[in-house]
């Protein structure tokens, strides 16, 4: 456990710079958009900005993981690390997850500020009128899950790319292999969704919740906040969790083969 904590601390330090840059830009954007809303007397324009930065949080963890992988890729530190590849990669995923959670908490606090502004201006009757706590939590959970899924894909594709570096004949064309892997996976996914198995009610089972307000402009009333329902397929989410585990183990297996850069 002490060794893993050491890996976790190291990866967090490597991610810290870009994470701080990310937060600073978000904070400056929040101030700028709020100032614009006050200047234009349109308090509702801060809602699209809130939803935009919330959506962009999906890319924070993947970018953090790629940053660390590229740094270690240049030094080939994993070649000389006695820890297992699973621990090495799990440390990176864990570090990215911590950073992701902190950033999403920061966005959630901003969402409370946005709702307070809307409430003070009479655009909503209560916080629940904008987004109930349960729906907000599910939206943040969805963003976190998508971010972790993309992060694992980044690790897997990075491992595929660098594992081909030991073959001189295809070393210069490794990026084509990465594209082919993505294309083959997407093609297989499309084919499977058309099969009778995936059209079964089991895979369509889910819940419909209001997870994202949207803006609508009306000539008489100006900008208005509307609610959007989304269908959440439970079994499909479970399937993606299993796929994430498979891709993570495949990446660990490739790393055990001492990939070269």
């Amino acid at each position: 456990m002490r060794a893993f904590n050491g890996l976790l601390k190291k990866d967090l330090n490597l991610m810290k710079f870009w994470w701080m840059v990310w937060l600073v830009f978000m904070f400056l954007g929040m101030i700028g958009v709020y100032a614009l809303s006050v200047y234009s007397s349109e308090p509702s324009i801060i809602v699209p900005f809130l939803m935009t930065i919330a959506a962009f949080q999906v890319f924070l963890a993947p970018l953090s993981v790629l940053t660390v992988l590229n740094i270690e890729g240049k030094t080939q530190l994993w070649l000389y690390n006695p820890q297992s590849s699973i621990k090495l990669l799990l440390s990176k995923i864990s570090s990215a997850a911590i950073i992701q959670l902190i950033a999403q908490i920061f966005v959630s606090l901003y969402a409370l500020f946005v709702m307070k502004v809307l409430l003070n201006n009479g655009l909503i009757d209560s916080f629940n009128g904008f987004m109930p706590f349960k729906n907000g939590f599910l939206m943040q959970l969805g963003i976190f899950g998508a971010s972790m899924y993309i992060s694992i894909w980044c690790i897997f594709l990075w491992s595929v790319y660098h594992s081909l570096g030991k073959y001189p004949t295809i070393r210069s064309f490794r990026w084509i292999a990465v594209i082919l892997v993505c294309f083959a996976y997407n093609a297989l996914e499309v084919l499977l969704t058309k099969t009778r198995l995936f059209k079964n009610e089991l895979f369509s089972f889910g819940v419909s919740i209001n997870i994202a307000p949207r803006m609508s402009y009306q000539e008489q009333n100006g900008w208005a906040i509307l609610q959007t329902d989304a269908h959440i397929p439970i079994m499909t989410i479970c399937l993606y969790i299993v796929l994430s585990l498979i891709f993570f183990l495949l990446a660990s297996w490739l790393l055990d083969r001492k990939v070269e850069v």
Side-chain angles (χ1 to χ4, degrees), residues 120-150:
N120 291 342
N121 285 272
L123 295 176
I124 59 175
D125 297 328
S126 64
F127 281 14
N128 282 338
F130 178 78
M131 179 176 290
F133 173 81
K134 176 184 177 181
N135 295 348
F137 173 77
L138 289 175
M139 184 183 76
Q140 292 286 16
L141 185 61
I143 292 173
F144 179 81
S147 182
M148 291 298 101
Y149 179 72
I150 296 173

Side-chain angles (χ1 to χ4, degrees), residues 113 185 233:
F113 169 76
Y185 173 80

Side-chain angles (χ1 to χ4, degrees), residues 27-99:
F27 185 68
L28 293 176
M30 292 171 183
I31 295 176
V33 172
Y34 177 68
L36 179 63
S37 70
V38 173
Y39 177 78
S40 61
S41 299
E42 284 283 358
S44 59
I45 65 174
I46 58 179
V47 176
F49 179 75
L50 168 63
M51 305 314 298
T52 299
I53 63 172
F56 267 90
Q57 298 309 304
V58 170
F59 303 105
L60 177 57
L63 290 175
S64 300
V65 167
L66 284 176
T67 297
V68 176
L69 288 174
N70 287 332
I71 292 174
E72 294 196 354
K74 294 177 181 178
T75 58
Q76 296 188 343
L77 291 177
W78 67 86
L79 293 176
Y80 314 104
N81 198 308
Q83 301 299 322
S84 67
S85 60
I86 290 181
K87 284 186 178 180
L88 291 173
L89 295 181
L90 185 60
S91 169
K92 290 164 179 52
I93 286 293
S94 300
S95 301
I98 292 172
I99 287 176

Side-chain angles (χ1 to χ4, degrees), residues 190-230:
V190 171
L191 290 174
L192 288 176
T193 55
K194 294 180 178 180
T195 62
R196 182 177 300 179
L197 174 63
F198 283 84
K199 290 182 178 180
N200 190 283
E201 293 183 0
L202 180 64
F203 283 92
S204 61
F205 171 76
V207 293
S208 294
I209 59 172
N210 171 20
I211 60 171
R214 61 184 178 88
M215 301 294 296
S216 176
Y217 184 77
Q218 302 172 354
E219 293 185 2
Q220 295 180 349
N221 302 322
W223 287 101
I225 301 170
L226 303 178
Q227 304 296 331
T228 304
D229 289 335

Side-chain angles (χ1 to χ4, degrees), residues 102-189:
I102 295 175
Q104 289 188 218
I105 290 174
F106 184 68
V107 173
S108 297
L109 293 176
Y110 177 64
L112 293 176
F113 169 76
V114 168
M115 289 188 283
K116 180 65 175 177
V117 171
L118 297 176
L119 186 64
N120 291 342
N121 285 272
L123 295 176
I124 59 175
D125 297 328
S126 64
F127 281 14
N128 282 338
F130 178 78
M131 179 176 290
F133 173 81
K134 176 184 177 181
N135 295 348
F137 173 77
L138 289 175
M139 184 183 76
Q140 292 286 16
L141 185 61
I143 292 173
F144 179 81
S147 182
M148 291 298 101
Y149 179 72
I150 296 173
S151 297
I152 292 177
W153 256 102
C154 288
I155 289 177
F156 172 65
L157 293 177
W158 183 90
S159 301
V160 170
Y161 178 82
H162 288 297
S163 65
L164 298 175
K166 63 176 66 176
Y167 305 108
T169 55
I170 61 174
R171 184 180 177 89
S172 300
F173 305 99
R174 291 176 291 173
W175 58 273
I176 297 179
V178 173
I179 294 176
L180 289 176
V181 169
C182 293
F183 177 80
Y185 173 80
N186 288 327
L188 180 62
E189 188 177 50

